[in-house]
Amino acid sequence: MKYLFKNQLWALALITLLFSCESGGDERPLGKYDTGILLMNEGAFGANDGEVFHFDPASGTLTQNIFELENGRPFAGLLEDLVLEEDRLYLVANTGKVEVVNPGDFKSRGAVISDLDQPRSLATARGKLFISDYGPYDASYMTPDSYVAVVSGLDGGPVKKKIEVSNKPEDLFAFGKYVFVASSEESKIEIIDADTETVTKTIEVLGTPVQFFEQRGDLWVYSYDAENVYFQSFHLDNLTKKNFLQLDIANATSRIALGEDDRIYILTSTGWPDYNDGIAVTSIYDTTLIPSWKTGTGFYGIGYDQDREEIYLANSKGFQGNGEVTVYSKDGSLVKTMEVGRGPSGILVR
């Protein structure tokens, strides 16, 4: 899963300020899924059995299939991303739909179920949804018609427009009226004006850009190739490049997690036929590198619980049945291992 901090850190600061200015009034009580860890299981191709589990670290309770549990129907798709924005949780399925649920109780509040092909991620801006989509495959299994779909309401509805972008758009990040798009195959960041619903600027970057994140008030994009990883930040006032960092980390994948003290945990894999997987640890501000924090096979997703300083490592087990999630303390010691669903790839810490 692409790491879903997106606007949350900035939004948290705003929410804190707003509440500090309130003279009274009741706050909304927390729902049963407003705290803890959401574990995203992609599901198996053909079975379309993607689902979300909830883990409560305080009690050790693992609740399975919470979408079906709370809505009385299976999710029925392959989960690609979980995005928490605008007090809504978006479940993005690369089988052509987006489900919208309340974060606290996981009850459905809407969906986008038509006119999508292979959605990858989502961002909200100006009261609209912007959904990155590979578009359909052509006869050569290429995706020349990739786009960002626009939906007028935050609770879903019909697609009103498809904005043409470069091949294979992945993560999105909204700032004000601008939506940044990581177009992975052509190494571009495309910036959409949410008011006019057009691409207003294109910025070329090195590697395959896949994930936006915020650190110390700056917006960064993470990208990689076979030999290196790259971190590029942006000036948000004039939408230009700011700082750049290239690190010698081979076999990096698209999976990263933001850890303690500005650390970044990066999954690596040699791929077929050896599948020697690992976790490299680095930082944008102190480039001291731990090239092999953990090694193994089947590593498929990673997340970090900032409060408990624990790393969640998802293992697909080769999609041969259910996967597992292992929890480690930041010193590398084992905390817990639990069986989850098929293809666990994403960890969202609430």
Side-chain angles (χ1 to χ4, degrees):
M1 179 177 65
K2 297 164 287 294
Y3 290 85
L4 309 171
F5 300 100
K6 296 196 175 180
N7 295 337
Q8 293 178 50
L9 296 179
W10 294 346
L12 180 60
L14 177 60
I15 291 169
T16 301
L17 176 62
L18 291 174
F19 273 118
S20 68
C21 296
E22 292 285 345
S23 59
D26 296 330
E27 297 181 18
R28 178 179 64 86
L30 289 175
K32 56 185 172 181
Y33 306 122
D34 275 326
T35 59
I37 315 293
L38 295 178
L39 307 173
M40 186 187 84
N41 305 287
E42 285 184 5
F45 181 77
N48 289 358
D49 55 351
E51 251 294 358
V52 181
F53 288 14
H54 176 263
F55 176 61
D56 181 354
S59 67
T61 302
L62 179 67
T63 306
Q64 302 181 9
N65 303 330
I66 60 175
F67 181 88
E68 182 172 10
L69 176 67
E70 301 299 343
N71 294 286
R73 58 183 173 91
F75 177 74
L78 295 179
L79 266 170
E80 182 63 34
D81 206 355
L82 297 179
V83 180
L84 179 62
E85 291 193 13
E86 306 270 3
D87 199 29
R88 294 161 175 83
L89 185 64
Y90 297 93
L91 285 67
V92 182
N94 64 19
T95 39
K97 69 172 181 175
V98 175
E99 296 272 5
V100 190
V101 301
N102 294 315
D105 60 15
F106 245 71
K107 300 293 187 184
S108 175
R109 58 188 299 161
V112 184
I113 58 174
S114 63
D115 294 324
L116 296 175
D117 293 284
Q118 301 181 76
R120 305 293 292 179
S121 192
L122 177 151
T124 64
R126 297 296 208 243
K128 307 172 189 177
L129 305 182
F130 292 82
I131 305 166
S132 56
D133 198 306
Y134 279 6
Y137 285 120
D138 64 13
S140 302
Y141 290 96
M142 304 297 286
T143 57
D145 298 317
S146 296
Y147 57 88
V148 170
V150 183
V151 176
S152 293
L154 297 179
D155 290 329
V159 173
K160 64 171 289 193
K161 184 175 182 178
K162 293 182 178 180
I163 305 169
E164 181 181 351
V165 294
S166 302
N167 290 352
K168 292 185 170 56
E170 293 286 354
D171 198 24
L172 304 139
F173 189 97
F175 176 78
K177 73 169 185 173
Y178 295 109
V179 178
F180 288 71
V181 183
S183 296
S184 64
E185 193 166 85
E186 299 183 50
S187 301
K188 295 177 180 178
I189 305 301
E190 289 164 293
I191 302 175
I192 293 172
D193 184 315
D195 291 333
T196 63
E197 299 171 5
T198 58
V199 175
T200 61
K201 187 164 190 174
T202 299
I203 302 172
E204 293 186 356
V205 294
L206 290 178
T208 299
V210 289
Q211 180 63 50
F212 294 107
F213 63 93
E214 189 269 351
Q215 276 194 347
R216 300 190 186 182
D218 283 333
L219 172 63
W220 294 83
V221 67
Y222 160 74
S223 58
Y224 66 96
D225 59 26
E227 302 297 330
N228 301 287
V229 301
Y230 310 95
F231 296 97
Q232 176 69 61
S233 68
F234 303 93
H235 293 284
L236 294 176
D237 54 350
N238 60 12
L239 309 180
T240 59
K241 291 181 179 180
K242 188 177 181 182
N243 296 318
F244 172 76
L245 179 66
Q246 174 179 328
L247 296 174
D248 180 16
I249 300 177
N251 303 314
T253 72
S254 62
R255 318 288 192 180
I256 67 172
L258 305 183
E260 79 288 353
D261 301 325
D262 297 320
R263 284 188 167 196
I264 302 174
Y265 293 78
I266 303 172
L267 287 192
T268 64
S269 179
T270 59
W272 187 88
D274 300 319
Y275 287 106
N276 294 319
D277 300 340
I279 301 174
V281 187
T282 190
S283 170
I284 291 170
Y285 308 102
D286 172 9
T287 57
T288 301
L289 176 66
I290 305 172
S292 296
W293 187 80
K294 288 289 176 185
T295 59
T297 59
F299 295 176
Y300 201 54
I302 191 166
Y304 194 91
D305 183 340
Q306 295 279 353
D307 290 338
R308 297 176 179 82
E309 297 189 325
E310 293 177 340
I311 297 93
Y312 283 69
L313 177 62
N315 194 309
S316 69
K317 296 294 184 179
F319 283 86
Q320 302 302 307
N322 290 336
E324 69 178 20
V325 170
T326 304
V327 186
Y328 296 98
S329 62
K330 70 175 182 178
D331 65 7
S333 58
L334 177 65
V335 175
K336 184 180 181 66
T337 298
M338 48 192 155
E339 182 177 312
V340 292
R342 290 209 275 187
S345 62
I347 292 92
L348 176 58
V349 180
R350 298 299 316 280

